[in-house]
Amino acid sequence: MPDFTADSPTPVYVRAADYLTALIRSGELAPGSRLTPERELASNLGVSYDTIRRMTALLRERGLIVTVHGRGTYVSDPLPP
Amino acid sequence: MPDFTADSPTPVYVRAADYLTALIRSGELAPGSRLTPERELASNLGVSYDTIRRMTALLRERGLIVTVHGRGTYVSDPLPP
DNA sequence: GGCGATTTGTACGTATGTATT
DNA sequence: CAATACATACGTACAAATCGC
């Protein structure tokens, strides 16, 4: 797992989004599957909920995930090209 | 000025965005003019910086404002239809 | 329909970083 | 270099939606 605490000009939420993007694109996170809940992700990755929210917002913009209030966050099916 | 503390099913940031939208659409805030800085707006409207950030994100999505890091937030010129 | 558990959404406060003037 | 203003990041609390029982 990447070290998001490492100093970098790229914001943590962008690096986290890129990390998730790689997992999705590689198929390790399959279309339709549910992601780890946001708050769990936050503690797993060692970042704040705020950062995870920014990350998921970015992934949504990329069309890679879909979020349903009260249910969870899912890998888009089908994935955009 | 609207009372954003009043109970409503509509989130504060949406109501704040609608309020600003009305000011822009009515011409009270002319295209090209600079908005009150975010933190000042927050205290003026009696809401948090977080809420103002959500509000400006929404107004940007609506194409009504443009934000420049370090400079400020401006009413779009021209305004979208 | 209610109740509790789970999960996302909103809102507040605060501190530090970065860009512009 | 200082002042201003937006950007990122952390922490926390409560609200709202969904689901299973």
Side-chain angles (χ1 to χ4, degrees):
Chain A
M1 192 179 58
D3 177 18
F4 297 116
T5 66
D7 197 43
S8 162
T10 310
V12 178
Y13 77 91
V14 176
R15 283 181 281 153
D18 289 345
Y19 171 60
L20 265 288
T21 296
L23 292 184
I24 292 169
R25 286 303 185 186
S26 73
E28 294 180 62
L29 288 173
S33 64
R34 208 193 73 177
L35 265 62
T36 304
E38 293 180 328
R39 281 162 174 93
E40 234 179 291
L41 252 186
S43 74
N44 288 353
L45 299 182
V47 301
S48 72
Y49 179 54
D50 176 280
T51 297
I52 291 296
R53 294 284 295 167
R54 289 171 187 273
M55 181 200 75
T56 53
L58 196 47
L59 292 172
R60 263 192 302 279
E61 281 171 29
R62 292 178 183 174
L64 297 178
I65 62 173
V66 175
T67 299
V68 184
H69 186 187
R71 274 195 35 202
T73 304
Y74 300 83
V75 178
S76 297
D77 187 9
L79 282 174
Chain B
M1 189 179 60
D3 176 18
F4 297 115
T5 64
D7 197 41
S8 162
T10 309
V12 178
Y13 77 91
V14 175
R15 282 181 282 154
D18 289 346
Y19 172 59
L20 265 288
T21 296
L23 291 184
I24 292 169
R25 286 302 185 186
S26 73
E28 294 179 62
L29 287 173
S33 64
R34 206 193 75 176
L35 265 62
T36 306
E38 293 179 327
R39 278 164 175 91
E40 235 179 291
L41 253 185
S43 73
N44 288 354
L45 300 181
V47 301
S48 71
Y49 179 55
D50 177 280
T51 296
I52 291 296
R53 293 285 294 167
R54 290 171 186 270
M55 180 201 74
T56 54
L58 196 47
L59 292 172
R60 263 192 302 279
E61 281 170 29
R62 291 178 182 174
L64 297 178
I65 62 173
V66 176
T67 300
V68 185
H69 187 184
R71 268 190 49 201
T73 304
Y74 300 84
V75 178
S76 298
D77 188 8
L79 282 173

